[in-house]
Amino acid sequence: MQFPESWLRSFCNPALSSEQLADLLTMAGLEVEEVRPVAPPMTGVVVGAIVHVEPHPNADRLRVCQVDVGCGAPLQIVCGAPNARVGIRVPCARVGAVLPPGEDGRPLEIRLSKLRGVDSHGMLCSARELGLSDDHGGLLELAGDAPIGRDVREVLALDDRLFTLKLTPNLAHCLSVFGVAREVAALTGAPLHPPVIAPVPPRHDAVLPVRIEAPDLCGRFTGRIIRGIDPTARTPDWMVQRLARCGQRSISALVDISNYVMFELGRPSHIFDLDQIHGGLQVRWGRPGETLELLNGQTVTLDETVGVIADERGVESLAGIMGGQATAVSDATRNVYVEAAFWWPRAIAGRARRFNFSTDAAHRFERGVDPSTTREHVERITQLILQICGGEPGPIDDQVVHVPQPQPVKLRVARAAKVIGMPLTQAQCAEPLRRLGLEVAEGDGVLTVTPPPYRFDVQIEEDLIEEVARVIGYDRLPDTPPHAPVLPRVRPQAQRSPFALRRQLAGLGYQETINFSFVDERWERDYAGNPAPIRLLNPIASHLSVLRSSLLGSLLQVLRHNVDRRAPRVRVFEIGRVFRRDPAVPDGDATVAGIDQPLRVAGLAWGDAWPLQWGVRGRTVDFFDVKGDVEALLAPRVAHFEPAEHPALHPGRCARIVLEGRPIGVLGELHPRWRQAEGWSSAPVLFELDLAAVLTWPVPQAQPIGRHQPVQRDLAVVVREDVTHAQLMAAIEAAGQPWLRAAVLFDVFRPQPGTAGGIGAGEKSLAVRLTLERDEATLTEADIEAVLAAVLQSLQQRLGARLRA
């Protein structure tokens, strides 16, 4: 909500500067988002009256103007504005004036100049040149009675400031300048000056018949006929100025009056063209199939959940939201019907959003507008219409059928002191509430408070406690440090920090992402194989309705976002918590009964294996690239990779990661089904690991350097084609030779078709380099042969291997 400070101070003017006033409002819960001047700095600009205009002798588009600025002889100024004419009063920058910075960021200093051979002693200004708006179509025309020679900043009140408030939904009573002033008066004790609204005597007895058919939609409906108005009357400059500084452009006198009262008092209203209403009005719920063309040009289809105002022929207005085009006022309007009503908030909430637009009226009515002041506000609108447009008012028709009845709320003083965190007496609680306009009855340690009709937010004890704290000032609440002992948590030496893991992943080329724990239910079904995820009671969005049990869906969503923006290669990871049902989990300080919440680390690689370069041939990242990254994360520990199945991963390119005999995660390419559904040119490779297992870091142990030379021997064996590297290494380890230090596969050979080479169909040759070392003595040839024989025997027994000839 935006408004000028001068308008606020016309209702309540405390002895505070603009900055102090902004701080006061913010500390009272009315967050002041911005305070900025109405106009940028400028000097030397005064009101000038054009007294003579003649064409420029050397330029068709320029005029030579004689301008009276109140200093004796008129000034000669060359001007090219199309609206420069005799009799108007405009801003005139005299020689020496400084205008606001232009596009180059430098202030413009006005000097004596010569344009096409004619001297110019100043500059006539547009609104854009003064920094007031983007209008550069001509000179800014001032009021005809603007004092000649007076500083423009004074005439246009350019020293004013604009306040922008960011109000929470419970502060509907502050959605007006007077509502904010009422808060300022309560906070500062400064006197409040409400607008004087005197009843306007009727001049005729005409009344428009109105029937309220839906008391659950409209609780009070107030209206009045005004005849013989002039709809073409010009909106006064003071009203146009205030509306503009509230962010509302001037439209016509009648519309401006309605908007002005809304900003002033907080009540949206509507003015109908009386001659376009057929018969009387009915306030009712809509009927399926009814349509309405709105003032914004949109035609909407209604149903029984939307409130309307209708006449005998059809719907004329969306109740509490927007009027219809058929009864809109125009230059031909002569008789109007002014309406102000109380609409139940629950009957208005969400209706405008259903039609994909929002209005100031709906914003206020769905939060609650005072039902007790409809009559006074019709009187206020009538005052302004008669003042600006003339006319003859009729009597006010005020129907009250069903309005909220204030319900008393009790406040325990001891409870307030405990919640606020400072000692409070009963008087200290009662006094702020009375200043806010709440009716307070005092008992023994208990206050019974009856909220006024405009305070829809005061319903429970906590609301009253908040009001007490607001008036006291959040900045005055004491700072009380906690008394709990602070014990440092020392990380075990055999565990590294998550920060170190993040650094390592970043070093491998991955970038960290942070995603919601709330995910689409489809992700859980497709990517995690979880048909019964944990549902949220109040999701922040309809598609984020469950808690994730895997990080893979979040990473795939990040990939989708980047691919849509033409990223050539993506490397991302996330460290986050997942949520799974587990009846064995007890309820505790950091746990929820039945819900396991382990931390995981997951990564995704997609696109080219390396950035574009000349030294390496381009290829797509594959399973083994990411497998190497996982091995680097777990080093110096050695993990085993076993074939596995996972709902999100390729059935033939998926591995279970086993570390020290315990499964800690999975690795694999995305399943072709999901890759094709997303339309990716290549399959992303993903991994997901238990974070605790990854953070375990073995403490280095000192090992003596061998005193004897190690021995290396190569062993080539023929095995079946389906024998894996893991099976080969397991068979070598099963030989149980203590002097065998290492075994490395360095060659895989398959003969070309048509050549035997001692290798049959469905077979391959594996060459292994064995490293042998003995601590206490040098190995003899007999020792070496014994180890080789034992290894070969184990390979024969377990894999059916034979020594390659």
Side-chain angles (χ1 to χ4, degrees):
M1 175 183 168
Q2 178 181 297
F3 57 86
E5 181 182 3
S6 60
W7 197 359
L8 174 66
R9 290 186 181 273
S10 69
F11 292 127
C12 181
N13 189 14
L16 299 174
S17 66
S18 300
E19 290 73 17
Q20 291 172 329
L21 182 58
D23 290 342
L24 175 73
L25 291 172
T26 300
M27 287 298 103
L30 284 71
E31 180 184 352
V32 178
E33 195 171 37
E34 183 184 28
V35 179
R36 60 183 175 89
V38 168
M42 71 181 87
T43 59
V45 183
V46 299
V47 176
I50 300 179
V51 297
H52 181 72
V53 178
E54 62 183 24
H56 193 288
N58 302 318
D60 294 338
R61 295 186 178 181
L62 297 179
R63 297 178 176 86
V64 180
C65 303
Q66 302 297 322
V67 183
D68 180 10
V69 294
C71 62
L75 300 179
Q76 176 175 285
I77 299 177
V78 178
C79 176
N83 63 334
R85 63 187 186 276
V86 174
I88 64 171
R89 302 191 180 190
V90 297
C92 176
R94 304 177 61 178
V95 174
V98 178
L99 298 184
E103 294 181 356
D104 59 358
R106 299 179 180 179
L108 175 63
E109 184 176 351
I110 304 301
R111 300 175 181 175
L112 180 64
S113 60
K114 182 173 290 190
L115 297 178
R116 294 290 185 93
V118 176
D119 290 338
S120 182
H121 298 262
M123 174 180 174
L124 303 182
C125 303
S126 67
R128 182 178 177 183
E129 288 159 343
L130 297 181
L132 302 181
S133 73
D134 293 330
D135 183 11
H136 196 49
L139 300 177
L140 174 62
E141 297 188 28
L142 305 177
D145 58 353
I148 295 176
R150 185 76 60 83
D151 194 316
V152 165
R153 295 194 69 90
E154 180 183 348
V155 172
L156 297 180
L158 298 184
D159 292 324
D160 202 354
R161 291 194 170 196
L162 299 181
F163 276 55
T164 302
L165 268 57
K166 187 176 181 181
L167 299 175
T168 52
N170 64 315
L171 295 173
H173 59 285
C174 295
L175 285 171
S176 66
V177 180
F178 180 69
V180 177
R182 188 167 48 203
E183 290 288 306
V184 172
L187 295 170
T188 63
L192 180 66
H193 305 287
V196 178
I197 305 177
V200 178
R203 298 184 186 177
H204 60 82
D205 58 359
V207 175
L208 181 68
V210 177
R211 184 171 69 255
I212 300 177
E213 299 178 359
D216 56 340
L217 167 66
C218 178
R220 184 175 183 178
F221 196 94
T222 307
R224 159 181 270 168
I225 291 175
I226 304 178
R227 293 174 172 171
I229 66 161
D230 177 13
T232 62
R234 182 171 178 269
T235 305
D237 291 336
W238 61 268
M239 182 178 288
V240 173
Q241 183 186 91
R242 283 185 171 178
L243 287 174
R245 293 178 184 181
C246 289
Q248 177 67 51
R249 66 182 180 89
S250 175
I251 299 174
S252 67
L254 291 173
V255 176
D256 291 347
I257 289 169
S258 178
N259 288 333
Y260 181 83
V261 173
M262 179 182 68
F263 286 117
E264 181 183 45
L265 303 175
R267 176 176 302 283
S269 59
H270 190 62
I271 301 177
F272 295 85
D273 187 330
L274 180 65
D275 298 329
Q276 302 302 318
I277 298 176
H278 304 90
L281 294 179
Q282 301 94 44
V283 181
R284 58 175 173 81
W285 293 105
R287 295 164 185 162
E290 287 184 321
T291 61
L292 172 64
E293 184 182 359
L294 298 170
L295 289 173
N296 61 3
Q298 179 179 348
T299 299
V300 296
T301 301
L302 310 175
D303 58 29
E304 65 279 1
T305 64
V306 180
V308 300
I309 302 175
D311 62 10
E312 293 179 353
R313 295 190 180 181
V315 178
E316 302 296 351
S317 175
L318 275 184
I321 299 175
M322 185 182 291
Q325 191 67 46
T327 56
V329 295
S330 65
D331 288 349
T333 300
R334 290 295 177 267
N335 306 306
V336 297
Y337 180 72
V338 179
E339 165 263 313
F342 167 70
W343 306 101
W344 284 94
R346 61 178 175 271
I348 305 299
R351 270 60 172 189
R353 290 186 292 276
R354 182 184 305 177
F355 299 117
N356 296 320
F357 65 84
S358 62
T359 64
D360 288 327
H363 182 77
R364 286 163 170 80
F365 278 127
E366 65 186 6
R367 286 160 173 78
V369 177
D370 188 355
S372 66
T373 55
T374 58
R375 190 180 189 94
E376 290 80 356
H377 292 176
V378 169
E379 295 282 13
R380 175 61 171 159
I381 295 172
T382 303
Q383 283 182 354
L384 294 172
I385 291 178
L386 298 184
Q387 177 184 337
I388 298 171
C389 303
E392 297 181 350
I396 288 181
D397 176 34
D398 187 14
Q399 300 185 44
V400 182
V401 293
H402 179 42
V403 296
Q405 299 301 317
Q407 299 298 321
V409 181
K410 293 185 180 298
L411 171 65
R412 295 165 291 174
V413 176
R415 173 68 176 166
K418 182 177 181 180
V419 172
I420 295 176
M422 63 184 294
L424 291 172
T425 65
Q426 185 163 311
Q428 288 175 318
C429 290
E431 191 265 343
L433 297 175
R434 289 194 175 97
R435 285 164 55 184
L436 289 170
L438 281 65
E439 181 182 335
V440 180
E442 299 191 38
D444 186 11
V446 177
L447 303 178
T448 302
V449 180
T450 303
Y454 56 84
R455 292 303 301 268
F456 286 80
D457 58 308
V458 178
Q459 299 178 359
I460 58 177
E461 183 179 32
E462 283 72 13
D463 296 330
L464 296 176
I465 295 174
E466 179 186 5
E467 295 303 298
V468 173
R470 282 199 318 114
V471 177
I472 291 175
Y474 294 125
D475 55 336
R476 295 175 55 191
L477 301 183
D479 296 328
T480 305
H483 296 294
V486 179
L487 300 176
R489 298 180 62 183
V490 180
R491 187 174 67 250
Q493 189 176 3
Q495 180 181 340
R496 58 177 168 170
S497 68
F499 177 76
L501 176 62
R502 289 183 171 93
R503 289 289 296 269
Q504 186 178 6
L505 281 164
L508 293 171
Y510 292 78
Q511 292 183 314
E512 184 174 12
T513 65
I514 300 175
N515 302 294
F516 278 126
S517 296
F518 319 132
V519 298
D520 192 329
E521 186 176 0
R522 180 183 65 84
W523 298 1
E524 283 295 293
R525 182 182 65 251
D526 295 345
Y527 301 144
N530 184 8
I534 301 171
R535 295 187 176 277
L536 298 170
L537 295 178
N538 186 24
I540 61 174
S542 59
H543 66 286
L544 302 178
S545 58
V546 300
L547 288 170
R548 63 184 178 183
S549 63
S550 170
L551 303 181
L552 299 184
S554 300
L555 293 182
L556 290 170
Q557 177 66 17
V558 172
L559 174 62
R560 173 82 280 159
H561 181 85
N562 283 272
V563 171
D564 287 347
R565 285 151 183 79
R566 298 184 177 275
R569 59 192 303 270
V570 178
R571 301 289 187 280
V572 291
F573 76 93
E574 181 179 6
I575 297 175
R577 200 173 294 279
V578 299
F579 304 85
R580 306 177 304 179
R581 299 185 188 277
D582 187 352
V585 177
D587 200 5
D589 294 337
T591 60
V592 177
I595 306 295
D596 187 21
Q597 306 176 53
L599 284 165
R600 299 276 184 83
V601 55
L604 177 147
W606 176 86
D608 295 335
W610 301 99
L612 183 65
Q613 58 169 301
W614 62 270
V616 178
R617 180 177 297 177
R619 65 175 179 84
T620 302
V621 67
D622 59 21
F623 175 92
F624 298 100
D625 292 319
V626 180
K627 178 185 176 185
D629 293 339
V630 172
E631 290 177 331
L633 291 181
L634 300 175
R637 296 168 299 161
V638 178
H640 298 282
F641 297 82
E642 302 175 351
E645 292 186 359
H646 190 280
L649 303 179
H650 193 297
R653 299 173 186 174
C654 172
R656 179 187 301 107
I657 304 171
V658 180
L659 183 64
E660 298 171 355
R662 184 173 68 90
I664 65 166
V666 292
L667 162 69
E669 286 186 5
L670 185 66
H671 198 291
R673 181 191 305 121
W674 313 131
R675 181 180 69 82
Q676 293 172 5
E678 295 291 345
W680 289 320
S681 58
S682 60
V685 184
L686 306 99
F687 68 87
E688 184 172 19
L689 307 172
D690 178 48
L691 182 63
V694 179
L695 295 182
T696 300
W697 191 260
V699 179
Q701 301 290 333
Q703 300 290 339
I705 299 176
R707 293 181 297 170
H708 303 281
Q709 189 74 16
V711 176
Q712 292 183 335
R713 291 290 187 270
D714 295 344
L715 186 66
V717 293
V718 179
V719 297
R720 299 185 309 276
E721 183 64 42
D722 60 354
V723 173
T724 65
H725 174 270
Q727 292 173 329
L728 178 70
M729 293 297 116
I732 294 173
E733 186 178 354
Q737 296 300 307
W739 301 335
L740 181 61
R741 302 300 191 203
V744 178
L745 175 69
F746 67 89
D747 182 58
V748 179
F749 174 73
R750 297 178 179 87
Q752 294 294 329
T755 62
I759 303 175
E763 293 182 328
K764 61 184 176 182
S765 170
L766 302 178
V768 182
R769 177 158 295 172
L770 306 176
T771 301
L772 293 75
E773 185 179 3
R774 186 176 180 182
D775 294 332
E776 66 277 5
T778 302
L779 289 170
T780 64
E781 193 63 30
D783 296 332
I784 297 171
E785 291 299 329
V787 173
L788 293 178
V791 171
L792 183 59
Q793 182 181 5
S794 177
L795 291 171
Q796 291 172 343
Q797 292 175 351
R798 292 175 172 270
L799 305 178
R802 69 178 184 274
L803 191 64
R804 181 179 172 186

